[in-house]
Amino acid sequence: MRATIRIGKWLFLAAALVSSFFPFYWMARTSVAGHDEVFNAEFSFLPESITFEAYARAWTDGALGNAMLVGLLVTFAILALQLLTCIPAAYVLAMHRRRWTGKLFGFVLLCLLIPGQVTMIPLFIGINQFRLGDTLAALILPFATSVLGTFMIRNQMMSIPRALMEASEMDGLGPVRTMVSVVVPMAKPGIAAFSVYSIFVHWNDYMWPLLAARSPEIQTPPLALAIFQDAATGFDYPALAAGAAIVTVPIIIVFLVAQRHFVRGMSGTEITG
């Protein structure tokens, strides 16, 4: 009976693994196949002929080099601003418990219920009122802080023992030094988990850059790939798949580097040592 259950678990995990990786495999297959093979009625795991022409076409026609530089600048500028605002906010909510902190945290939870699409038009109007439309600032400033980031980092900080905070106060550390030297290193898993999430979301964001970035010079990678989805000239699926593969590489690298902290942070456990 136990052997049957174990085999069933492995089969389920294998099926889940195959279903998860199949879209990536099909993206890679489409990127090295000819344009005519994309619409071939016969299914095959490998294309009849392998060509990397679509990658060159995606890089040049989509101007992916400039788009990825813009994407990196925007994504990491947003992350830096979010960490500068979310970490102190989470520190106050987690470590300085007063009467008003509970109500303030309730307001944070309330903000989590508001979809981002609801605030998109007011943000667009406000950005243009300040004459920041079609600039890098328009892509960065609306995301300078994150309610979800405050929530995640605050929950990680709540696991820090109060005795450690009292010891730091006895050693003469002020609130800022305590936050930087004691709390932030111990909250690293939560910070890393949110950082990976933020990078993933803003690197792949399409809707807001579509509204805010009208010039080709400040197009992000998702906007650059949209050139291959022109219904008037026809969809170039091999180039689109090749561009998607190129754009996915930085996200994979970030996740591989931070996966240990990301998993610990999402599970709510700490890294010791």
Side-chain angles (χ1 to χ4, degrees):
M1 185 64 180
R2 290 183 179 179
T4 304
I5 295 175
R6 187 179 301 173
I7 293 173
K9 288 181 179 179
W10 281 108
L11 289 176
F12 175 78
L13 290 174
L17 186 65
V18 170
S19 63
S20 299
F21 278 95
F22 184 79
F24 294 97
Y25 155 74
W26 198 254
M27 176 183 68
R29 183 200 180 281
T30 303
S31 68
V32 297
H35 191 275
D36 296 335
E37 291 189 52
V38 174
F39 301 98
N40 196 341
E42 297 181 3
F43 175 82
S44 62
F45 283 99
L46 294 175
E48 295 180 3
S49 59
I50 296 178
T51 175
F52 294 95
E53 180 187 354
Y55 284 88
R57 199 161 63 251
W59 187 263
T60 55
D61 295 351
L64 277 184
N66 180 74
M68 291 183 71
L69 287 176
V70 172
L72 288 171
L73 174 62
V74 169
T75 301
F76 284 97
I78 289 173
L79 177 61
L81 289 175
Q82 287 180 339
L83 293 181
L84 284 174
T85 55
C86 293
I87 291 176
Y91 173 71
V92 171
L93 291 173
M95 299 301 171
H96 295 273
R97 300 172 188 174
R98 303 289 187 271
R99 271 184 202 174
W100 49 267
T101 53
K103 296 179 180 178
L104 189 59
F105 184 64
F107 178 73
V108 170
L109 295 178
L110 182 63
C111 291
L112 283 173
L113 301 177
I114 303 175
Q117 293 80 1
V118 173
T119 61
M120 198 167 288
I121 298 302
L123 277 175
F124 178 76
I125 295 173
I127 286 292
N128 284 279
Q129 286 290 331
F130 285 98
R131 302 183 182 276
L132 294 175
D134 199 25
T135 63
L136 287 174
L139 297 175
I140 297 170
L141 291 181
F143 308 100
T145 190
S146 170
V147 178
L148 179 63
T150 303
F151 174 76
M152 291 178 63
I153 298 173
R154 180 258 183 192
N155 285 352
Q156 187 70 42
M157 289 180 178
M158 290 292 290
S159 64
I160 298 175
R162 296 293 301 175
L164 189 62
M165 302 299 300
E166 295 172 0
S168 64
E169 291 177 3
M170 293 178 62
D171 290 340
L173 295 181
V176 176
R177 285 197 63 187
T178 301
M179 180 184 70
V180 174
S181 303
V182 179
V183 176
V184 169
M186 296 194 69
K188 190 186 298 183
I191 296 173
F194 169 69
S195 299
V196 173
Y197 170 82
S198 176
I199 291 171
F200 178 81
V201 168
H202 295 292
W203 177 262
N204 293 293
D205 190 14
Y206 178 77
M207 184 58 67
W208 177 251
L210 183 64
L211 289 175
R214 295 180 290 275
S215 299
E217 294 79 12
I218 59 171
Q219 285 188 343
T220 56
L223 286 183
L225 293 179
I227 192 176
F228 303 113
Q229 304 180 68
D230 190 353
T233 59
F235 283 54
D236 191 346
Y237 286 109
L240 182 61
I246 295 172
V247 169
T248 304
V249 170
I251 294 296
I252 295 175
I253 293 174
V254 168
F255 182 77
L256 291 177
V257 170
Q259 63 175 330
R260 179 168 171 260
H261 292 296
F262 178 78
V263 173
R264 294 292 185 95
M266 293 302 292
S267 63
T269 56
E270 298 181 49
I271 293 179
T272 58

